[in-house]
């Protein structure tokens, strides 16, 4: 546990400014992410140093395919998320409380050095909600010449994004859907919150975009094309990953139809030259 960054006090109310939910909390209350709590009139990050997963992965697994190709990356996750998608592929750590081990930032950087990898990824659950840990590790890693990669849903306020991006070399941003109503259904707010993150990040580091194609959430061709047009206006060089959904957690719809996946990829190829299908044999 560590005192959180990015909060204001208004009398007995604490306002968290880390993500666009802007939770207003009183003593004893926890934010919508489940991992930031007010104790004795201060906001704390409950998952600081709590590592639920630590692995060396191929960088392509993040997925990042056109940056540091063929390299391995030390990947860490904690727990918690500021969205609540019923089809979450990592719900055991994003939406539940997993077993963790305590690690200091220096121990994580040492693990990367000992493993001989050139980079560290903040991933598995949403790294925005373990911001303080990510920030401390990324700063230390940069000093040691190790690169940093964030794999995020993009639901973060501008100030914390600007502060962390100074230490981030590459990002994969996971776009969940194409309109505000569906973003609200997933526990978010607006599509623009995410497009703004993509725009800011793409001016400052290397960016790839992921889109999980979930029936009823992100499988409408026309709406997807409108989204591709918006992304194209931000950066026509984006690499896109279009992944197939499989039933998990609260979703039991059958896996996304391969024909729809292919049609969405064809639409994307009108705007971008690097569009990859994921979770498809
Ligand atoms: S990070 Fe958590 S506590 Fe802070 S505004 Fe977002 S959901 Fe609320």
């Amino acid at each position: 546990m560590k005192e959180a960054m990015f909060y204001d006090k208004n009398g007995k109310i604490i306002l968290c400014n880390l993500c666009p939910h802007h939770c207003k909390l009183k003593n004893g209350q926890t934010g919508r992410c489940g991992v930031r709590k007010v104790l004795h009139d201060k906001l704390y990050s409950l998952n600081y140093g709590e590592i639920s997963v630590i692995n060396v992965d191929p960088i392509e697994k993040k997925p990042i395919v056109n940056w540091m190709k063929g390299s391995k990356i030390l990947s860490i996750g904690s727990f918690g998320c500021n969205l609540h998608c019923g089809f979450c592929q990592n719900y055991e750590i994003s939406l539940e409380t997993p077993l963790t081990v305590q690690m200091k930032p220096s121990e994580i950087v040492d693990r990367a050095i000992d493993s001989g990898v050139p980079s560290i990824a903040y991933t598995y659950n949403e790294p925005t909600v373990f911001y303080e840990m990510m920030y401390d590790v990324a700063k230390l890693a940069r000093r040691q010449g190790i690169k940093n990669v964030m794999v995020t849903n993009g639901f973060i306020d501008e100030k914390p994004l600007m502060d962390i991006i100074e230490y981030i070399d590459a990002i994969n941003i996971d776009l969940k859907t194409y309109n505000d109503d569906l973003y609200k259904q997933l526990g978010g707010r607006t599509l623009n919150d995410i497009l703004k993150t993509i725009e800011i990040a793409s001016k400052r580091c290397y960016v790839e975009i992921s889109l999980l194609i979930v029936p009823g959430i992100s499988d409408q061709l026309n709406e997807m094309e409108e989204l591709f047009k918006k992304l194209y206006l931000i950066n026509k060089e984006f690499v896109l990953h279009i992944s197939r959904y499989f039933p998990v957690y609260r979703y039991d719809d059958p896996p996304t139809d391969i024909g729809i996946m292919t049609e969405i990829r064809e639409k994307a190829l009108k705007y971008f030259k690097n569009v990859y299908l994921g979770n498809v044999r």
Side-chain angles (χ1 to χ4, degrees):
M1 192 162 88
K2 184 176 183 175
E3 187 176 353
M5 298 160 79
F6 310 109
Y7 74 90
D8 291 321
K9 272 189 208 176
N10 186 356
K12 286 279 173 200
I13 301 291
I14 297 278
L15 175 67
C16 179
N17 297 315
L18 180 55
C19 89
H21 283 316
H22 294 154
C23 297
K24 289 187 179 126
L25 305 167
K26 293 182 191 159
N27 268 320
Q29 290 184 329
T30 307
R32 288 175 69 166
C33 54
V35 290
R36 293 169 89 76
K37 183 172 185 175
V38 179
L39 294 165
H40 309 297
D41 300 322
K42 288 181 177 174
L43 185 65
Y44 287 91
S45 163
L46 299 179
N47 54 8
Y48 188 90
E50 303 285 346
I51 302 299
S52 64
V53 191
I54 180 162
N55 273 326
V56 173
D57 290 330
I59 192 160
E60 289 76 12
K61 207 172 158 187
K62 298 303 98 191
I64 297 269
V65 296
N66 270 3
W67 181 85
M68 296 192 68
K69 280 182 186 181
S71 66
K72 294 271 173 66
I73 186 162
L74 181 74
S75 304
I76 61 163
S78 184
F79 59 94
C81 190
N82 49 5
L83 299 184
H84 293 96
C85 309
F87 48 84
C88 182
Q89 312 284 301
N90 284 330
Y91 71 94
E92 295 101 331
I93 58 169
S94 294
L95 303 167
E96 294 175 358
T97 309
L99 288 175
T100 56
V101 288
Q102 270 281 339
M103 287 186 85
K104 291 182 191 145
S106 60
E107 291 174 317
I108 291 166
V109 174
D110 286 348
R111 179 77 71 93
I113 294 167
D114 293 346
S115 309
V117 298
S119 54
I120 298 175
Y122 309 94
T123 179
Y124 301 125
N125 71 309
E126 173 52 40
T128 298
V129 304
F130 61 91
Y131 187 97
E132 290 75 11
M133 182 68 177
M134 170 169 63
Y135 186 83
D136 288 354
V137 176
K139 219 168 147 180
L140 206 54
R142 172 66 60 86
R143 263 192 249 146
Q144 299 284 345
I146 292 172
K147 297 194 185 305
N148 293 297
V149 174
M150 193 175 165
V151 181
T152 177
N153 62 27
F155 195 57
I156 180 170
D157 265 14
E158 187 169 340
K159 168 77 172 124
L161 175 63
M162 295 295 271
D163 285 7
I164 189 71
I165 215 145
E166 203 178 313
Y167 301 101
I168 297 292
D169 301 282
I171 297 193
N172 182 298
I173 299 175
D174 188 5
L175 258 169
K176 305 286 181 194
T177 184
Y178 28 59
N179 66 41
D180 296 353
D181 286 345
L182 286 167
Y183 254 107
K184 280 181 195 133
Q185 199 178 305
L186 304 178
R189 224 181 51 129
T190 68
L191 170 64
N192 262 346
D193 294 324
I194 319 303
L195 292 178
K196 198 167 144 199
T197 297
I198 293 173
E199 195 166 359
I200 291 171
S202 68
K203 287 182 185 141
R204 290 163 181 83
C205 68
Y206 178 76
V207 180
E208 295 191 9
I209 310 281
S210 289
L211 300 125
L212 179 70
I213 308 303
V214 182
I217 299 289
S218 48
D219 62 345
Q220 294 302 304
L221 272 181
N222 291 344
E223 301 236 37
M224 277 310 245
E225 183 158 10
E226 289 308 308
L227 185 58
F228 296 144
K229 286 182 193 165
K230 287 177 184 154
L231 291 173
Y232 181 82
L233 289 177
I234 298 173
N235 185 346
K236 56 183 192 296
E237 300 300 327
F238 281 140
V239 170
L240 302 192
H241 299 274
I242 294 176
S243 295
R244 190 181 189 204
Y245 142 93
F246 282 87
V248 69
Y249 190 41
R250 295 194 173 141
Y251 268 54
D252 56 8
D253 286 357
T256 319
D257 181 75
I258 294 282
I260 290 179
M261 301 281 299
T262 309
E263 283 183 81
I264 290 174
R265 178 170 184 261
E266 275 162 18
K267 288 275 184 211
L269 283 168
K270 284 168 65 180
Y271 303 91
F272 302 97
K273 55 179 186 294
N274 292 307
V275 183
Y276 299 94
L277 289 184
N279 289 345
V280 174
R281 266 184 225 150

